[in-house]
């Protein structure tokens, strides 16, 4: 995925790019369990000794902000978070002006605007117009799209059912606020790269926006049907995706009664739960309202929304790596944390692979450079290091 600079829409990711990203996410997850690898990851977002710096601008959010912040921190970058309602946007400043002011001194801007679906695009246009290197990452654009949530959702599906998913053989039910759920919109675009059968379950008077249908038509075959009652399809569904009523994204007041009615119709109650397949999985981008009983995951392991939320951290680490250090090799980074035994002429000793700077390419010379000093070693040590260390001609060969 070399060359990815901005993330504005789910359309920015092809089938191949997503698979590549899923593998990187899985590697991030494994590495994070190992304390030495976790420490090594903290060097990833550091350029010439300086941590990359991110500005996060957002409308109120918990998971998305926290997982972006945690991911940046885990990779050694730094950030500053500002809530939009307390920023100059409240005084009427445009995204273009904000971007021009802050972009020159940061490597990335992560922007979530609940009311302006083109906020990220305007910022992208601005940095490009001014020839700035800053990346713009959309973390939610009005009620239009949520591309990074789409990556998290698809990664969670890929983890559970890779083969069927990649072959477009899964059946999905996307339930709830079809019109305003930006996560449903982006998920549909994402699934359309892989194919599958989709049932949209939601209020009969509402539907997903026409532009999404038009986009999907350009992609893989996707069978989409509307359903009013989820009971009708329960025994067919591999993955359920529930959403809350998106009251914060609607340009009208939503009454508590409306929310309650919605939760009853498009939520999970016991009869539906009993009808769902034993091997089905149930996702939700969170936060859930009354459509989900609070502790449902503790009584029914098919509900994996917290696992899905945990994946957000690893997916965002993978995404940051792809954008900012695409050529960094995580396998080498992990290998660099290994302790290796150096067999010298007199004694054997141990070093962390990371401390080995270079090895000599002269076949007659067995020197390696460790923390700035040339050390004589044996052929075995040199061969073990050869693949992963830069080569040079050592000073013993050319003492002058
Ligand atoms: C979603 C969002 O903001 O669109 N949440 C999230 O990013 N975790 C879904 C929602 O708010 O319902």
């Amino acid at each position: 995925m070399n060359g990815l600079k901005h993330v504005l829409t789910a359309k920015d990711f092809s089938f191949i790019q997503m698979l590549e990203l899923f593998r990187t996410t899985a590697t991030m997850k494994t590495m994070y369990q190992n304390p030495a690898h976790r420490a090594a990851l903290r060097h990833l977002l550091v350029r010439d000794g300086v941590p990359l710096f991110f500005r996060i601008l957002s409308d109120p959010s918990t998971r998305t902000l926290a997982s972006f912040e945690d991911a940046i921190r885990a990779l050694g970058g730094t950030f500053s978070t500002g809530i939009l309602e307390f920023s100059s946007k409240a005084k009427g400043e445009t995204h273009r002006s904000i971007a021009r002011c802050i972009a020159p001194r940061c490597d990335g801007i992560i922007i979530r605007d609940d009311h302006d679906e083109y906020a990220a695009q305007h910022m992208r246009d601005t940095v490009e117009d001014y020839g700035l290197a800053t990346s713009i990452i959309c973390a939610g654009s009005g009620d239009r799209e949520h591309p990074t949530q789409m990556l998290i959702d698809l990664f969670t599906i890929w983890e559970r059912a890779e083969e069927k998913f990649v072959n477009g053989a899964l059946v999905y039910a996307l339930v709830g606020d079809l019109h305003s759920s930006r996560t449903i919109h982006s998920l549909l675009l994402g699934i359309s790269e892989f194919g599958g059968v989709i049932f949209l379950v939601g209020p009969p008077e509402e539907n997903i926006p026409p532009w999404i249908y038009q986009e999907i038509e350009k992609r893989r075959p996707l069978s989409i049907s509307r359903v009013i009652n989820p009971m009708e399809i329960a025994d067919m569904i591999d993955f359920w995706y529930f959403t809350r009523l998106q009251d914060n994204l609607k340009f009208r007041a939503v009454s508590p009664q409306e929310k309650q009615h919605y939760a009853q119709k498009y939520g999970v109650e016991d009869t539906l739960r009993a009808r769902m397949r034993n091997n089905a999985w149930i996702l939700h981008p969170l936060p859930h309202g009354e459509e989900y009983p609070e502790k449902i995951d503790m009584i029914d392991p098919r509900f994996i929304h917290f696992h899905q939320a945990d994946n957000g951290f690893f997916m965002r680490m993978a995404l940051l790596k792809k954008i900012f250090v695409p050529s960094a090799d995580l396998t080498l980074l992990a290998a660099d944390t290994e302790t290796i035994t150096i067999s010298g002429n007199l004694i054997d000793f141990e070093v962390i692979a990371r401390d080995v700077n270079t090895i000599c390419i002269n076949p007659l010379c067995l020197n390696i450079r460790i923390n700035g000093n040339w050390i004589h070693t044996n052929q075995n040590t040199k061969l073990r290091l050869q693949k992963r260390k830069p080569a040079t001609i050592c000073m013993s060969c050319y003492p002058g």
Side-chain angles (χ1 to χ4, degrees), residues 25-43:
T25 307
T27 308
M28 287 290 184
K29 234 174 157 171
T30 316
M31 285 182 77
Y32 200 73
Q33 309 312 320
N34 176 321
H37 295 174
R38 191 188 294 189
L41 287 171
R42 292 193 93 105
H43 299 277

Side-chain angles (χ1 to χ4, degrees), residues 130-150:
Y130 286 95
L132 298 167
T134 319
S135 293
I136 306 296
I137 301 175
C138 168
S141 53
D143 66 0
R144 190 177 171 89
E145 271 216 62
H146 197 339
T148 61
Q149 182 68 42
M150 176 276 292

Side-chain angles (χ1 to χ4, degrees), residues 63-64 112 146 149 182-183 244 246 248-249 285-287:
R63 258 157 309 281
T64 306
R112 159 179 288 198
H146 197 339
Q149 182 68 42
R182 53 194 175 193
T183 67
R244 71 182 173 93
Q246 306 287 303
N248 58 319
L249 305 182
L286 300 179

